[in-house]
Amino acid sequence: MRSSPVVLPLLAAALLVASSSAQAAWVPVLDVNELVIKQVAQFAVLVYGLAHHRDLAYVGVVRGQTEQAVGGGTNFRLVVVAARPDDGGSTAQYDCLVWGVPGSRSDTWKLRRFRKIVQG
């Protein structure tokens, strides 16, 4: 028995809806001093500084969220404080997004976003 040509598009649409509703949600980081959170933040500051020829020094993490990434790994959305030693040590907050697999090599991690937060 052959299925109707309408069945396949309906099945595909149902699978798409089911997969989009199964996406992970952002979860707040409870302890910004947790080792993995500090390492991710330091990675973000280092990579941004190297890529953009900026002298930035990691100071700390203000807050953050994590999310299980589609296809594996973890997304880290962090607000990081960094200092500019060449500018008298002035500090600023940066919004950063990092993807990686905790425990993996650093060359597999990706800095997706690093933006200065403008204080209003």
Side-chain angles (χ1 to χ4, degrees), residues 29-40 58 61 66:
V29 171
L30 300 178
D31 181 8
V32 295
N33 293 312
E34 185 180 346
L35 182 61
V36 70
I37 298 302
K38 289 168 68 172
Q39 288 175 332
V40 170
Y58 168 80
V61 179
T66 62

Side-chain angles (χ1 to χ4, degrees), residues 80-97:
V80 176
V81 178
R84 295 198 51 172
D86 61 347
D87 191 22
S90 65
T91 61
Q93 291 186 358
Y94 297 87
D95 170 44
C96 57
L97 180 63

Side-chain angles (χ1 to χ4, degrees), residues 60-107:
V61 179
V62 176
R63 64 183 173 276
Q65 298 174 308
T66 62
E67 171 192 57
Q68 292 304 309
V70 175
T74 303
N75 290 316
F76 296 85
R77 188 164 48 190
L78 305 174
V79 174
V80 176
V81 178
R84 295 198 51 172
D86 61 347
D87 191 22
S90 65
T91 61
Q93 291 186 358
Y94 297 87
D95 170 44
C96 57
L97 180 63
V98 176
W99 174 88
V101 178
S104 68
R105 298 184 332 258
S106 63
D107 63 343

Side-chain angles (χ1 to χ4, degrees), residues 42 99 110:
Q42 290 170 343
W99 174 88
K110 307 258 186 285

